[in-house]
Amino acid sequence: MSDVRVRFAPSPTGYLHIGGLRTALFNWLFARRHGGTFLLRIEDTDRDRSTDAAIDAILNGLRWAGLDWDEGPHRQSDRLDLYRQKAMELLERGKAYWCVCTPEALEARRKEAQAKGEPLKYNGRCRERGLTNPTEPAALRFRSPEEGQTVVEDLIKGTIVFDNAVLDDLIILRSNRYPTYNLSVVIDDALMGITHVIRGDDHVNNTPRQVPLFEALEYPMPKFAHVPMILGADKARLSKRHGATSVLAYQEMGYLPEALVNYLVRLGWSHGDQEIFSMQDMIEKFSFDHVQASPAVFNPEKLQWLNAEYLKREEPRHLAELLLPFLEKHGYDRAGRVQPQGGLEAVVPHLCERAKTLVEMADWTLPYITEPVAMDEAAAEKFLIPAIAPSLNKFAQRVKMVEPFSKETLEPVVQLILEEDHLKMGKFAQPLRVALTGRTFSPGIYEVMALLGKEWTVQRIEQALHRIPSS
């Protein structure tokens, strides 16, 4: 199937959303699986809503997710004359006709049909009038079949049958001679050699409108695959109220692109019980045989779990680089700040076991890159109390002499203080943790001290002692 040609064709009226990225992903995987071509087309015929900023957001979202395209991006706005030419060919062959019904008249008929419970479709008033050169504003309508059925063999949903009697005579050129979506899509899919139209199933109702256009224009028919919708936990269509839907918003929230792509491929597709897939895994295993026809439910907790798994597997040097933009939002300047012992890549292995996102990891990294440490006042009030001050002071004085500064050399110092002061480890370690990190949670206390180094360890304990009230 090396002749496979698929396309992702977003409308640039907003950001690239989660459902759009999954549709792009399924197209991309199908093309890569069969050694075919993945084409990017920008459907910007909606002049009032399409923006260059939205196009940039779409391209950036695809690039971030790692979905490269082989052709494009093509813009429909560059091909308007072609669409007009094909529309006029349909008119000349009797496959289309001029309609001079005003918007007011059409709206009145729509309300009348609604009141009578009749189909909300154009009543064909101009269908047989034979208008050739209308002098009043006129739209060009396609002469849709009125009898029989349109049958689509969908690669996901199976056989779908549409009664032609309910089809509308679509407007293919507006009265301003601007082509409409269904006409331009059919022409582009045919002339760009698209073999498989893989799109969201919100387009299912467009398919019986487009199939007759393919036939009337004498174009080869592509195969169709309609991907199920993504729903929120309340089973409503995924929207902003369910959380972020923009792909780049997930980048800002600290998700890894590999994790988001892995999560999306499992929304509606499966390969046994496998949950974690590399890109190569997906390419080798993807097929429509295992794409479900029913809607998939978006689960933010599952995405977080998967992202956490990817963070654990990430190479420390690369993870440190990914973390930098999130640290810079906290004012971190790697050129102008004291580095933790071993640099950031020494810190991240101790944090990635606990963090679910890069945002979380950046927050947990702050104690190792900022001085003085930001103190949690509630934690300080609870743990930095007069009773523990002598033990903390004793430890600060003794560790000044410890060489090398490591878990192996620090542990005997701690154990001796526990014995001398009759303390359990928890009673000493938690105040020490608060003194060193300003928080009640951190990696192991010896790892914390090794990361901070001797100078910062001693300095922070002494700073903590200064804030403990005298008994």
Side-chain angles (χ1 to χ4, degrees), residues 65 71 86 109 111 223 230 271 362 377 386 419 446:
E71 292 184 17
K86 293 298 180 181
R109 285 186 213 131
K111 289 181 178 178
K223 295 179 180 178
I230 300 177
H271 185 80
E377 293 300 328
E419 293 172 14
Y446 297 111

Side-chain angles (χ1 to χ4, degrees), residues 122 311 363 457 467:
Y122 179 61
L311 287 174
D363 181 60
T457 296
R467 53 182 300 142

Side-chain angles (χ1 to χ4, degrees), residues 41-55:
R41 186 172 75 219
I42 304 297
E43 298 189 340
D44 57 348
T45 55
D46 187 337
R47 293 184 299 177
D48 295 332
R49 299 173 60 213
S50 297
T51 67
D52 287 340
I55 293 174

Side-chain angles (χ1 to χ4, degrees), residues 39-241:
L39 181 148
L40 179 60
R41 186 172 75 219
I42 304 297
E43 298 189 340
D44 57 348
T45 55
D46 187 337
R47 293 184 299 177
D48 295 332
R49 299 173 60 213
S50 297
T51 67
D52 287 340
I55 293 174
D56 289 341
I58 290 168
L59 301 186
N60 290 337
L62 291 173
R63 290 188 185 105
W64 177 73
L67 303 187
D68 55 335
W69 49 93
D70 305 304
E71 292 184 17
H74 302 290
R75 293 182 64 158
Q76 286 190 330
S77 56
D78 295 334
R79 295 160 63 87
L80 299 179
D81 288 342
L82 172 64
Y83 309 140
R84 295 183 184 112
Q85 174 194 333
K86 293 298 180 181
M88 299 312 293
E89 288 179 12
L90 289 173
L91 176 65
E92 292 165 5
R93 292 167 46 212
K95 302 288 186 179
Y97 61 91
W98 291 114
C99 172
V100 293
C101 297
T102 64
E104 295 76 16
L106 292 172
E107 177 62 16
R109 285 186 213 131
R110 190 191 69 80
K111 289 181 178 178
E112 183 181 342
Q114 190 173 33
K116 294 179 180 179
E118 297 174 350
L120 303 181
K121 55 177 285 188
Y122 179 61
N123 65 359
R125 180 174 178 270
C126 294
R127 186 178 175 105
E128 304 303 335
R129 291 182 65 182
L131 300 172
T132 54
N133 292 299
T135 56
E136 54 198 304
L140 191 64
R141 287 185 183 271
F142 175 64
R143 196 181 293 272
S144 297
E146 296 182 292
E147 299 177 350
Q149 297 176 323
T150 295
V151 180
V152 177
E153 297 297 338
D154 193 278
L155 296 175
I156 296 174
K157 295 180 175 295
T159 303
I160 310 176
V161 179
F162 302 90
D163 288 327
N164 290 339
V166 302
L167 297 181
D168 212 345
D169 281 357
L170 293 176
I171 292 177
I172 55 176
L173 279 186
R174 298 183 180 90
S175 58
N176 62 1
R177 299 302 185 265
Y178 213 79
T180 58
Y181 166 78
N182 282 298
L183 175 69
S184 53
V185 164
V186 167
I187 293 170
D188 281 345
D189 283 343
L191 299 187
M192 293 179 180
I194 301 303
T195 59
H196 297 73
V197 173
I198 305 165
R199 57 190 178 188
D201 68 2
D202 52 333
H203 284 282
V204 164
N205 289 334
N206 283 325
T207 304
R209 296 175 170 89
Q210 292 170 6
V211 166
L213 275 167
F214 275 103
E215 294 171 341
L217 289 163
E218 300 178 351
Y219 288 151
M221 193 73 62
K223 295 179 180 178
F224 292 92
H226 289 92
V227 180
M229 299 293 290
I230 300 177
L231 305 180
D234 57 359
K235 303 301 171 64
R237 182 172 177 173
L238 194 67
S239 66
K240 288 182 180 179
R241 72 175 181 276

Side-chain angles (χ1 to χ4, degrees), residues 343-357:
L344 280 178
E345 62 189 88
V347 175
V348 293
H350 299 282
L351 303 179
C352 64
E353 289 294 325
R354 298 168 174 81
K356 296 184 178 68
T357 67

Side-chain angles (χ1 to χ4, degrees), residues 274-300:
Q274 185 174 345
E275 291 286 353
I276 298 178
F277 297 83
S278 67
M279 276 292 201
Q280 192 57 41
D281 275 343
M282 295 182 212
I283 291 170
E284 291 174 359
K285 295 171 181 175
F286 183 81
S287 77
F288 288 115
D289 295 338
H290 299 286
V291 175
Q292 66 187 41
S294 56
V297 176
F298 188 84
N299 183 338

Side-chain angles (χ1 to χ4, degrees), residues 317-338:
R317 183 180 294 274
H318 185 227
L319 189 53
E321 289 296 320
L322 294 174
L323 197 59
L324 277 174
F326 297 91
L327 293 174
E328 286 165 355
K329 290 180 181 178
H330 291 283
Y332 175 69
D333 176 3
R334 57 176 154 177
R337 293 295 181 97
V338 176

